[in-house]
Amino acid sequence: MGRFPELLAEVSETGRQPRREELESFRTLGERAAENGWTLRELVGLYLGGTRELWGTLPGVARAATAKERARTGDAVLGAVDAAVAALGEGHERAQRLAVRQEEGERREFVDDLLYGRSDMGRLAERAQRFGLRLADVHTVAVAAGAEAYDDVHRTVRRVERDLLGRFASRDVLLSTKEGRLVCIAASGDHDVLEHFVRLAENPGADYPAARRIAVGREHSGAGGVVRSYEEALNALELADRLELDAVRLNASELLVFPVLLRDRGAMADLVRTVLGPLTKARGGAEPLLETLTVCGAAGYVNAEAARRLGLSVRTLSYRLERIRTLTGYTPNEPLQRFTLEAAVMGARLLGWPQKEL
């Protein structure tokens, strides 16, 4: 308690209030108390309890002869107690803020090392335990991207963190932000954690900006598996943007065909040129007919539904499909030709054709 008893004794006699250097010493005591694990409630309780014990022994209180003198002395002492406790609280909060910043810095460094695979795996596993992860287990990474960049103080991030960690604090889960996205790393056995994260990111509540897309990587084991699952989730987000997919929720396992298609970009470009190149001869260019093929596929090749989505009559849609058959020689009515057309359309979207030259 430092010089708190001596201060109260002097204040009870003179009526003065604590000096600047005395208040700074109490701030320092508050910092030390926080560093030693004292809560602010415990600290305030200690000083108020000490004041109660000291009260009857304070010389100014003992010598007060009248009620007026006792009131004046009590007011001065309580004012000093109030100032000292406020200084203690300031010091305690200062230490807490410093600890939080240090914790966030260490957490940020750990997340960077983990997701980039930059650190020694043994050392990384040791550090992971501090943040609630057991890297020897199998993990899955989910990544949410919003219309605006996420950071550690973003209100949606705080909302998701408060709910997710409040519900699953004892689980093997880590939540962080990375390059403007919200990242959740969870043990693969905890499907409810990932499902809850996706649901929260998609619909965090009123006045909280929702995620534009959430992608979930596949499950992998070890620290290297976390990196791999994270990269799969990022690739899924990138593919969804390039393909202009409508889905908010994405699973990397459902998009595995696209890395296969892109593995040989030369072959994919050749497929697009060969199958879809003739569409450039159509009036209005290839894009309206490419959109027609895309919407027909999404509608399950039900002409009435595809026409509705395109805002066309069924007759106009039929004309477009016939024009596609005439120009390319392929028709969606034949299964193998339909597959070829769909693969070429996906390839065109992945390669940015016809806006970009192949």
Side-chain angles (χ1 to χ4, degrees):
M1 295 179 69
R3 293 193 67 259
F4 186 67
E6 291 85 349
L7 173 65
L8 293 192
E10 187 175 341
V11 168
S12 71
E13 290 188 294
T14 65
R16 73 171 182 85
Q17 287 301 294
R19 301 184 182 93
R20 179 179 300 177
E21 63 273 13
E22 290 172 327
L23 292 178
E24 187 57 38
S25 71
F26 286 119
R27 293 188 185 96
T28 302
L29 287 173
E31 287 186 30
R32 292 177 182 172
E35 292 167 356
N36 289 325
W38 285 69
T39 66
L40 185 57
R41 180 177 180 179
E42 291 172 334
L43 189 60
V44 171
L46 173 67
Y47 275 76
L48 293 183
T51 301
R52 184 177 181 181
E53 292 178 4
L54 291 168
W55 190 270
T57 66
L58 297 177
V61 173
R63 285 200 297 266
T66 65
K68 186 175 182 179
E69 289 179 352
R70 285 193 296 271
R72 184 168 58 249
T73 300
D75 184 65
V77 171
L78 291 178
V81 172
D82 181 64
V85 169
L88 286 166
E90 290 175 11
H92 193 280
E93 291 176 1
R94 190 162 63 189
Q96 292 286 57
R97 287 195 298 270
L98 181 61
V100 167
R101 285 197 297 269
Q102 183 177 356
E103 176 79 12
E104 288 179 348
E106 292 175 356
R107 177 172 169 163
R108 170 68 53 206
E109 182 181 357
F110 167 73
V111 170
D112 288 346
D113 290 345
L114 176 63
L115 297 183
Y116 286 140
R118 292 188 303 208
S119 181
D120 172 76
M121 292 304 170
R123 173 66 181 143
L124 201 60
E126 292 177 7
R127 294 163 62 195
Q129 293 180 1
R130 178 180 176 185
F131 299 100
L133 289 182
R134 295 179 292 275
L135 291 184
D137 295 342
V138 177
H139 288 85
T140 303
V141 180
V143 181
E148 52 190 60
Y150 291 129
D151 57 31
D152 292 337
V153 297
H154 192 284
R155 61 186 185 278
T156 297
V157 174
R158 292 301 190 193
R159 164 77 176 94
V160 173
E161 182 178 43
R162 186 167 58 249
D163 195 297
L164 190 72
L165 300 185
R167 185 183 298 248
F168 303 108
S170 61
R171 306 286 186 90
D172 192 11
V173 59
L174 176 65
L175 194 70
S176 185
T177 57
K178 183 68 178 168
E179 297 179 347
R181 304 180 186 94
L182 183 56
V183 180
C184 178
I185 306 170
S188 293
D190 281 337
H191 297 293
D192 50 342
V193 174
L194 287 172
E195 176 60 29
H196 195 68
F197 168 77
V198 171
R199 188 164 58 248
L200 275 174
E202 185 178 11
N203 185 21
D207 300 325
Y208 293 95
R212 181 174 53 86
R213 281 200 180 97
I214 308 106
V216 181
R218 293 183 297 165
E219 60 180 32
H220 300 284
S221 61
V226 173
V227 177
R228 188 175 176 187
S229 184
Y230 172 65
E231 291 177 345
E232 289 174 348
L234 290 184
N235 290 336
L237 290 174
E238 181 184 358
L239 283 170
D241 287 340
R242 291 167 67 179
L243 295 172
E244 300 178 356
L245 300 181
D246 294 330
V248 175
R249 300 187 182 194
L250 305 165
N251 284 303
S253 58
E254 298 174 357
L255 301 175
L256 288 175
V257 66
F258 298 109
V260 174
L261 291 174
L262 285 175
R263 194 159 295 160
D264 190 339
R265 296 179 71 91
M268 177 55 68
D270 188 41
L271 175 66
V272 173
R273 276 193 301 264
T274 302
V275 176
L276 301 178
L279 296 182
T280 58
K281 300 175 183 177
R283 182 182 301 174
E287 291 189 37
L289 298 181
L290 274 177
E291 182 187 17
T292 300
L293 286 170
T294 300
V295 173
C296 282
Y301 296 97
V302 177
N303 285 3
E305 175 61 19
R308 185 189 66 79
R309 295 186 186 187
L310 287 166
L312 304 173
S313 66
V314 175
R315 181 176 181 179
T316 302
L317 175 65
S318 299
Y319 169 78
R320 284 193 180 184
L321 292 175
E322 179 59 26
R323 186 68 176 142
I324 290 170
R325 188 196 66 77
T326 301
L327 290 171
T328 66
Y330 291 87
T331 174
N333 295 328
E334 296 291 332
L336 182 57
Q337 293 185 19
R338 177 190 299 177
F339 173 78
T340 303
L341 280 171
E342 289 179 344
V345 169
M346 286 296 183
R349 295 168 72 181
L350 289 169
L351 297 174
W353 185 87
Q355 293 86 358
K356 296 179 182 179
E357 291 291 334
L358 298 176

